[in-house]
Amino acid sequence: DAGVIQSPRHEVTEMGQEVTLRCKPISGHDYLFWYRQTMMRGLELLIYFNNNVPIDDSGMPEDRFSAKMPNASFSTLKIQPSEPRDSAVYFCASSPEDRGLGYTFGSGTRLTVV
Amino acid sequence: KQEVTQIPAALSVPEGENLVLNCSFTDSAIYNLQWFRQDPGKGLTSLLLIQSSQREQTSGRLNASLDKSSGRSTLYIAASQPGDSATYLCAVIHNQGGKLIFGQGTELSVKP
Protein backbone atom coordinates (compact mmCIF):
# COMPACT_ATOMS: atom_id res chain seq x y z
CA ASP A 1 0.00 0.00 0.00
CA ALA A 2 1.22 3.52 -0.79
CA GLY A 3 0.20 4.80 2.61
CA VAL A 4 -1.86 7.90 3.30
CA ILE A 5 -1.51 10.29 0.36
CA GLN A 6 -1.95 14.02 0.73
CA SER A 7 -1.92 16.74 -1.89
CA PRO A 8 -0.59 19.26 -2.49
CA ARG A 9 2.63 19.03 -0.46
CA HIS A 10 2.96 22.80 -0.37
CA GLU A 11 0.39 25.51 -0.92
CA VAL A 12 0.94 29.26 -0.94
CA THR A 13 -2.12 31.41 -1.29
CA GLU A 14 -3.24 34.95 -0.73
CA MET A 15 -5.47 35.93 2.14
CA GLY A 16 -9.11 35.60 1.24
CA GLN A 17 -8.64 32.81 -1.27
CA GLU A 18 -10.21 29.39 -0.97
CA VAL A 19 -7.86 26.52 -0.19
CA THR A 20 -8.64 22.83 -0.64
CA LEU A 21 -6.46 20.10 0.85
CA ARG A 22 -6.86 16.51 -0.24
CA CYS A 23 -6.32 13.13 1.36
CA LYS A 24 -6.49 9.53 0.24
CA PRO A 25 -6.51 7.13 3.22
CA ILE A 26 -5.12 3.62 3.24
CA SER A 27 -7.50 1.24 1.54
CA GLY A 28 -9.64 -0.61 4.06
CA HIS A 29 -9.14 1.90 6.85
CA ASP A 30 -12.40 3.00 8.43
CA TYR A 31 -11.21 6.09 10.30
CA LEU A 32 -9.85 9.29 8.77
CA PHE A 33 -8.47 12.22 10.77
CA TRP A 34 -7.41 15.77 9.94
CA TYR A 35 -4.79 17.38 12.17
CA ARG A 36 -3.14 20.79 12.14
CA GLN A 37 0.38 21.36 13.43
CA THR A 38 1.82 24.71 14.49
CA MET A 39 4.80 25.63 16.63
CA MET A 40 2.58 27.30 19.21
CA ARG A 41 -0.15 24.67 19.56
CA GLY A 42 1.47 21.45 18.40
CA LEU A 43 -0.76 18.82 16.79
CA GLU A 44 -4.46 19.55 17.06
CA LEU A 45 -7.25 17.27 15.92
CA LEU A 46 -9.63 19.18 13.67
CA ILE A 47 -12.16 16.53 12.67
CA TYR A 48 -12.45 12.80 12.20
CA PHE A 49 -14.66 10.46 10.19
CA ASN A 50 -15.73 6.87 10.70
CA ASN A 51 -17.01 5.08 7.62
CA ASN A 52 -17.24 8.43 5.80
CA VAL A 53 -19.42 9.98 8.51
CA PRO A 54 -18.09 12.95 10.54
CA ILE A 55 -17.94 11.90 14.18
CA ASP A 56 -16.35 14.83 15.95
CA ASP A 57 -15.70 18.25 14.45
CA SER A 58 -15.24 20.09 17.72
CA GLY A 59 -11.66 20.93 16.78
CA MET A 60 -12.59 22.84 13.64
CA PRO A 61 -11.55 26.38 14.52
CA GLU A 62 -14.42 28.24 12.88
CA ASP A 63 -16.98 28.21 10.11
CA ARG A 64 -14.33 29.03 7.53
CA PHE A 65 -13.19 25.42 7.83
CA SER A 66 -15.15 22.53 6.36
CA ALA A 67 -14.33 18.88 5.67
CA LYS A 68 -15.99 16.24 3.56
CA MET A 69 -15.54 12.56 2.89
CA PRO A 70 -17.69 11.68 -0.13
CA ASN A 71 -16.36 8.12 -0.26
CA ALA A 72 -14.02 5.74 1.53
CA SER A 73 -11.01 6.73 -0.55
CA PHE A 74 -11.11 10.50 -0.52
CA SER A 75 -11.46 13.43 1.84
CA THR A 76 -11.08 17.19 1.54
CA LEU A 77 -10.42 19.98 4.02
CA LYS A 78 -11.48 23.37 2.76
CA ILE A 79 -10.70 26.82 4.13
CA GLN A 80 -12.75 29.70 2.78
CA PRO A 81 -11.73 32.47 3.08
CA SER A 82 -8.17 31.76 4.16
CA GLU A 83 -6.31 33.96 6.65
CA PRO A 84 -2.60 34.27 7.54
CA ARG A 85 -3.22 32.59 10.92
CA ASP A 86 -4.29 29.45 9.05
CA SER A 87 -0.68 28.95 8.00
CA ALA A 88 0.36 25.55 9.35
CA VAL A 89 1.07 21.98 8.33
CA TYR A 90 -2.10 19.96 7.86
CA PHE A 91 -1.87 16.21 8.32
CA CYS A 92 -4.29 13.51 7.35
CA ALA A 93 -4.20 10.13 9.11
CA SER A 94 -6.15 6.91 8.85
CA SER A 95 -6.63 3.81 10.95
CA PRO A 96 -8.51 0.52 10.66
CA GLU A 97 -11.65 -0.22 12.65
CA ASP A 98 -9.46 -1.97 15.18
CA ARG A 99 -7.79 1.09 16.67
CA GLY A 100 -5.36 -1.18 18.40
CA LEU A 101 -3.47 -1.39 15.12
CA GLY A 102 -2.52 2.25 15.30
CA TYR A 103 -2.64 5.28 13.06
CA THR A 104 -0.78 6.05 9.83
CA PHE A 105 -0.06 9.64 8.87
CA GLY A 106 0.39 11.27 5.51
CA SER A 107 3.34 13.53 4.70
CA GLY A 108 1.30 16.65 5.30
CA THR A 109 0.46 19.81 3.39
CA ARG A 110 2.38 22.93 4.33
CA LEU A 111 0.00 25.85 3.91
CA THR A 112 1.22 29.44 3.80
CA VAL A 113 -1.34 32.24 3.58
CA VAL A 114 0.19 35.60 2.72
CA LYS B 1 -10.39 16.18 29.14
CA GLN B 2 -7.33 14.11 28.28
CA GLU B 3 -4.04 15.98 28.43
CA VAL B 4 -0.69 14.57 27.38
CA THR B 5 2.59 16.02 28.62
CA GLN B 6 6.09 15.20 27.48
CA ILE B 7 9.23 15.90 29.43
CA PRO B 8 11.78 17.17 28.62
CA ALA B 9 10.83 19.49 25.78
CA ALA B 10 14.35 19.24 24.39
CA LEU B 11 17.30 16.97 25.03
CA SER B 12 20.87 16.98 23.75
CA VAL B 13 23.12 13.98 24.35
CA PRO B 14 26.45 12.66 23.05
CA GLU B 15 26.41 9.73 20.69
CA GLY B 16 26.29 6.32 22.37
CA GLU B 17 24.36 7.43 25.42
CA ASN B 18 21.22 5.63 26.58
CA LEU B 19 18.29 7.95 27.14
CA VAL B 20 14.69 8.04 28.35
CA LEU B 21 11.86 10.21 27.11
CA ASN B 22 8.84 10.66 29.33
CA CYS B 23 5.14 10.95 28.59
CA SER B 24 2.30 11.40 31.06
CA PHE B 25 -1.46 11.51 30.54
CA THR B 26 -4.25 12.64 32.83
CA ASP B 27 -6.96 10.08 32.04
CA SER B 28 -5.95 6.43 32.48
CA ALA B 29 -8.93 5.15 30.45
CA ILE B 30 -6.87 4.76 27.31
CA TYR B 31 -7.21 2.24 24.51
CA ASN B 32 -3.60 2.36 23.45
CA LEU B 33 -0.54 4.60 23.31
CA GLN B 34 1.59 5.28 20.26
CA TRP B 35 5.07 6.78 19.95
CA PHE B 36 5.94 8.66 16.77
CA ARG B 37 9.05 10.21 15.32
CA GLN B 38 9.00 13.40 13.26
CA ASP B 39 11.99 14.65 11.30
CA PRO B 40 12.14 18.38 10.51
CA GLY B 41 9.69 19.30 7.76
CA LYS B 42 8.45 15.72 7.50
CA GLY B 43 5.44 13.68 8.51
CA LEU B 44 5.00 11.35 11.48
CA THR B 45 6.48 7.88 11.52
CA SER B 46 5.06 5.35 13.94
CA LEU B 47 7.70 3.79 16.17
CA LEU B 48 5.87 1.68 18.73
CA LEU B 49 2.27 0.96 19.67
CA ILE B 50 1.36 -0.29 23.14
CA GLN B 51 -2.08 -1.70 23.81
CA SER B 52 -3.65 -0.82 27.15
CA SER B 53 -3.27 -4.42 28.30
CA GLN B 54 0.46 -4.45 27.56
CA ARG B 55 3.33 -3.22 29.69
CA GLU B 56 5.95 -2.70 27.02
CA GLN B 57 6.94 -3.03 23.38
CA THR B 58 10.37 -3.31 21.83
CA SER B 59 11.72 -2.58 18.37
CA GLY B 60 15.45 -2.73 17.86
CA ARG B 61 17.10 -0.16 20.12
CA LEU B 62 13.75 1.24 21.20
CA ASN B 63 11.70 0.10 24.16
CA ALA B 64 8.45 1.71 25.24
CA SER B 65 6.76 1.01 28.55
CA LEU B 66 3.26 1.79 29.76
CA ASP B 67 1.92 2.18 33.29
CA LYS B 68 -1.76 2.96 32.87
CA SER B 69 -2.53 3.29 36.55
CA SER B 70 0.00 6.06 37.01
CA GLY B 71 -0.65 7.62 33.61
CA ARG B 72 2.91 7.28 32.35
CA SER B 73 4.89 5.95 29.44
CA THR B 74 8.59 6.03 28.70
CA LEU B 75 10.53 5.60 25.50
CA TYR B 76 13.99 4.19 26.06
CA ILE B 77 16.59 4.59 23.31
CA ALA B 78 19.73 2.51 23.69
CA ALA B 79 23.13 3.48 22.28
CA SER B 80 21.86 6.68 20.67
CA GLN B 81 23.09 7.69 17.22
CA PRO B 82 23.09 11.03 15.35
CA GLY B 83 20.42 9.56 13.07
CA ASP B 84 18.10 9.39 16.08
CA SER B 85 17.93 13.19 16.13
CA ALA B 86 14.28 14.13 15.64
CA THR B 87 11.18 15.11 17.58
CA TYR B 88 9.51 12.26 19.43
CA LEU B 89 5.77 12.45 20.01
CA CYS B 90 3.62 10.48 22.38
CA ALA B 91 -0.10 10.07 21.66
CA VAL B 92 -2.99 8.31 23.41
CA ILE B 93 -6.37 7.06 22.26
CA HIS B 94 -9.15 7.24 24.78
CA ASN B 95 -11.35 4.20 25.39
CA GLN B 96 -14.31 5.97 23.91
CA GLY B 97 -14.05 7.52 20.50
CA GLY B 98 -11.16 7.48 18.09
CA LYS B 99 -9.26 10.63 18.98
CA LEU B 100 -5.48 10.46 19.09
CA ILE B 101 -4.32 13.11 21.55
CA PHE B 102 -0.70 14.25 21.25
CA GLY B 103 1.86 15.62 23.62
CA GLN B 104 3.99 18.56 22.57
CA GLY B 105 6.96 16.34 21.80
CA THR B 106 10.58 16.03 22.87
CA GLU B 107 13.17 17.40 20.47
CA LEU B 108 16.20 15.11 20.62
CA SER B 109 19.64 16.00 19.35
CA VAL B 110 22.39 13.37 19.38
CA LYS B 111 25.84 14.87 18.90
CA PRO B 112 28.58 12.88 17.13
Side-chain angles (χ1 to χ4, degrees):
Chain A
D1 199 314
V4 177
I5 300 172
Q6 291 187 246
S7 63
R9 290 297 306 277
H10 302 274
E11 177 81 34
V12 180
T13 191
E14 293 185 347
M15 182 173 62
Q17 295 298 306
E18 177 179 294
V19 176
T20 299
L21 311 181
R22 297 173 176 79
C23 175
K24 176 179 169 53
I26 290 175
S27 177
H29 279 194
D30 299 293
Y31 284 89
L32 183 138
F33 307 81
W34 283 101
Y35 284 84
R36 177 172 69 176
Q37 186 177 39
T38 60
M39 287 292 292
M40 290 297 295
R41 300 174 68 90
L43 273 159
E44 302 173 281
L45 176 64
L46 301 178
I47 184 171
Y48 76 95
F49 297 82
N50 181 218
N51 293 320
N52 312 340
V53 176
I55 302 301
D56 186 345
D57 65 355
S58 59
M60 296 286 261
E62 47 197 278
D63 292 345
R64 298 183 298 105
F65 285 69
S66 63
K68 293 182 180 180
M69 192 165 186
N71 57 61
S73 60
F74 183 66
S75 177
T76 59
L77 178 67
K78 186 175 294 185
I79 308 172
Q80 166 64 16
S82 57
E83 297 182 4
R85 60 193 168 116
D86 301 331
S87 297
V89 181
Y90 291 81
F91 287 103
C92 176
S94 69
S95 76
E97 186 67 35
D98 181 358
R99 294 165 296 155
L101 298 177
Y103 290 58
T104 302
F105 279 73
S107 299
T109 295
R110 182 174 297 276
L111 173 65
T112 303
V113 183
V114 298
Chain B
K1 178 185 174 185
Q2 178 73 271
E3 293 184 1
V4 181
T5 303
Q6 291 186 245
I7 295 173
L11 181 64
S12 180
V13 300
E15 181 177 3
E17 194 163 295
N18 302 325
L19 57 101
V20 174
L21 308 181
N22 296 291
C23 172
S24 61
F25 45 95
T26 54
D27 187 344
S28 63
I30 66 169
Y31 191 78
N32 62 29
L33 184 146
Q34 197 165 355
W35 282 93
F36 293 87
R37 167 184 172 142
Q38 185 175 29
D39 293 284
K42 303 293 185 183
L44 280 70
T45 301
S46 179
L47 297 173
L48 288 164
L49 172 72
I50 309 178
Q51 308 267 11
S52 61
S53 58
Q54 297 174 324
R55 298 285 296 192
E56 64 179 307
Q57 281 286 334
T58 298
S59 176
R61 294 182 294 108
L62 305 180
N63 175 276
S65 68
L66 174 63
D67 184 344
K68 253 184 51 172
S69 60
S70 67
R72 294 180 183 177
S73 176
T74 61
L75 179 66
Y76 175 82
I77 302 177
S80 59
Q81 302 170 357
D84 294 331
S85 299
T87 296
Y88 291 80
L89 293 150
C90 163
V92 299
I93 302 174
H94 197 267
N95 271 343
Q96 295 183 349
K99 293 182 182 182
L100 191 65
I101 306 299
F102 283 87
Q104 289 286 67
T106 294
E107 186 176 355
L108 172 66
S109 175
V110 181
K111 304 296 186 184

